[in-house]
Amino acid sequence: LVSNSRPEMPKLQFLYFIAHQMMRLRLRCGGRGWARKPFVRYSSTRYTMEDFRFQLAKPDHVTVSRRRAKKWYMLQDSDLDNLKSVEAPNPYGDEHDVYELYWLSDVVSLAKAKHSEENIINNYKSILSTASEKATTKEDAKRVIYGMSGTDRWYRNPSSGTPEGKKSVEQGLKSNLTIFCGKLLVSKYTGSFALFADAMHSLADVCNYMYRYYSLSRSTQQADQKHPYGYAPLRHICADRSFVCLVLIGGAVPVSVGVYELGQLASLCILPPHEPTLALAAGAVLVFSIVMEALAMRTASQEMEEREKTGKKQEIMSSATYLEAKAGVYGSIVGLFGVLVTASTGSPVVEIACSAVMGAVVGGVGCHLLSVSGTALLGATLPVERVTTVIEILQRDEVVVEIYDVKTQIIGSDTVRFKAEVHYNAEAITKKRRSLHCIPSAEATNLFKEIEGLQSVASSEDWLMKNDAEFLIAFAGEARRLQELVRKELSEYSNVYVDLSVW
């Protein structure tokens, strides 16, 4: 820093050098020396009795929560409202709430003004003696472990939103329940192989939709102690299992039956006659099936369009329902073609072949969905272009020197993790905190006067400690700001977990 008079520059550097050397000397002395204050030793999450006495005599430059200030130092909310507070984000993740922290030195001064030091010490003794060391430690741990505090925090509130994909699953279930029984009865009565293949597809869909509907309700549960990251992965787990059912029942069974029947017909010299009237009845059921599947496809398409408008990635349930319903429409059209050809020629060969094709279409869609869900469960990385964009955004920031070891992972269709090692620019953070954007300036002059006013070793130590404590708060704020930059860039994902480790 430079003031208007150049000869003062060496004096400022000398004072800052002396403060640093004093701090290094204290570290070498194990925390003892001129200040007669040891390092704070911790017993689990609490001070020992000796440490607490030292904190009362000479508090560290740290911030404490309102809860601790009230419990340890016998203060009330009305007392703390008059103190200068430092706002920090809620550590439990509620972005609309903040934590109020107070400088320990202010809390201790106020406590001493209201109570005698002996009463404060006796109060802390009673806190330590309320339970054994192990039991108290366990309770302190429960208070900060997600889902065990018993407090009615934001994450315990019930969800008010409709599960994404629920409407399309409901419509698919209604459509297939309506037509499955009719398909099965008419196929048995008419002997239509195309209708049998379509009935197997509907049976697979009924099983799938019932299972997905149940899993959707579970996947919207709020995070708790056993599952602190929520139940959203259930959507992909249950979808993956249901696709196996689709491949086996809706695909493998009709194809196997069709191939077997074609083999049986090939061994006959004369093909059995086929009743045209019964074939027309089967055709009418297939037409009705096309209408119902198209309705389910339209509902799923609307859900997908709503997500696209909000810029979010497509959701597995809606996408699966759309593809399955589309396969049902195309399969029914192929089956209808086979039924009509059979009705006009009287030969069942074309219809049997079409039933095998219908099963192959459904099985192919099921295999494709299995591949998609498997990739989602495995967790692929973000595209290189997106990762490069995020890195460039971070590296352009003034508080970042360099980015290292970037790892990303897409979990499902709406969650992504971004991890990187960040080399922070301490000087840039200090300039922002102190508003030292140019030198000389009014802020630089005030800082020089502040340091010049240090008249003793103890005051130099206090200044250095408080400066470092304020820097740590500013550093945490900059780290959170960078995390928000990453979340904003990856806003198409509903959940973005960012881990910017200090390198």
Side-chain angles (χ1 to χ4, degrees), residues 206-345:
V206 168
C207 297
N208 290 344
Y209 290 138
M210 290 178 67
Y211 179 48
R212 289 182 206 168
Y213 190 83
Y214 167 73
S215 299
L216 269 175
S217 302
R218 291 189 62 203
S219 68
T220 56
Q221 294 181 67
Q222 296 297 329
D224 54 25
Q225 175 199 347
K226 291 184 178 180
H227 302 89
Y229 289 101
Y231 290 80
L234 275 176
R235 307 168 72 86
H236 298 275
I237 294 173
C238 80
D240 193 69
R241 293 171 180 172
S242 68
F243 299 150
V244 175
C245 178
L246 181 67
V247 171
L248 295 178
I249 299 178
V253 172
V255 170
S256 301
V257 172
V259 171
Y260 173 78
E261 292 296 333
L262 284 175
Q264 291 294 103
L265 289 177
S267 62
L268 298 177
C269 297
I270 303 176
L271 297 180
H274 199 84
E275 180 62 46
T277 306
L278 299 181
L280 292 176
V285 175
L286 287 171
V287 170
F288 180 68
S289 175
I290 292 173
V291 174
M292 298 303 293
E293 293 284 15
L295 186 61
M297 189 170 69
R298 188 189 66 174
T299 304
S301 177
Q302 290 173 348
E303 285 186 335
M304 294 169 65
E305 289 176 0
E306 290 176 4
R307 285 188 66 87
E308 190 174 353
K309 289 178 182 178
T310 58
K312 294 182 179 180
K313 291 288 184 179
Q314 291 301 334
E315 198 271 333
I316 185 68
M317 292 294 184
S318 301
S319 302
T321 303
Y322 177 81
L323 287 177
E324 289 173 353
K326 193 172 184 179
V329 171
Y330 289 161
S332 296
I333 292 174
V334 171
L336 182 61
F337 170 77
V339 168
L340 293 177
V341 171
T342 297
S344 61
T345 62

Side-chain angles (χ1 to χ4, degrees), residues 430-450:
T430 301
K431 286 182 177 180
K432 289 185 69 176
R433 181 174 70 86
R434 289 283 188 174
S435 300
L436 300 174
H437 302 297
C438 61
I439 299 176
S441 63
E443 292 80 8
T445 303
N446 293 336
L447 178 59
F448 175 79
K449 291 180 180 179
E450 181 182 336

Side-chain angles (χ1 to χ4, degrees), residues 1-17 439-442 444-453:
L1 300 175
V2 223
S3 67
N4 292 329
S5 56
R6 292 188 70 81
E8 292 181 346
M9 177 64 180
K11 183 177 180 181
L12 176 59
Q13 288 183 335
F14 175 75
L15 287 173
Y16 201 76
F17 172 78
I439 299 176
S441 63
T445 303
N446 293 336
L447 178 59
F448 175 79
K449 291 180 180 179
E450 181 182 336
I451 298 177
E452 190 179 33

Side-chain angles (χ1 to χ4, degrees), residues 151-165:
T151 309
D152 188 21
R153 299 193 186 277
W154 66 273
Y155 51 75
R156 289 186 173 272
N157 297 332
S159 174
S160 59
T162 301
E164 294 179 334

Side-chain angles (χ1 to χ4, degrees), residues 10-28:
K11 183 177 180 181
L12 176 59
Q13 288 183 335
F14 175 75
L15 287 173
Y16 201 76
F17 172 78
I18 289 297
H20 270 290
Q21 295 305 311
M22 290 298 182
M23 187 58 194
R24 294 176 63 188
L25 178 62
R26 182 183 170 207
L27 292 175
R28 291 196 186 104

Side-chain angles (χ1 to χ4, degrees), residues 58-59 61 454 457-467:
K58 191 174 186 351
H61 291 289
L454 302 176
V457 171
S459 62
S460 299
E461 180 202 11
D462 285 340
W463 180 88
L464 182 61
M465 295 294 185
K466 187 173 183 180
N467 178 76

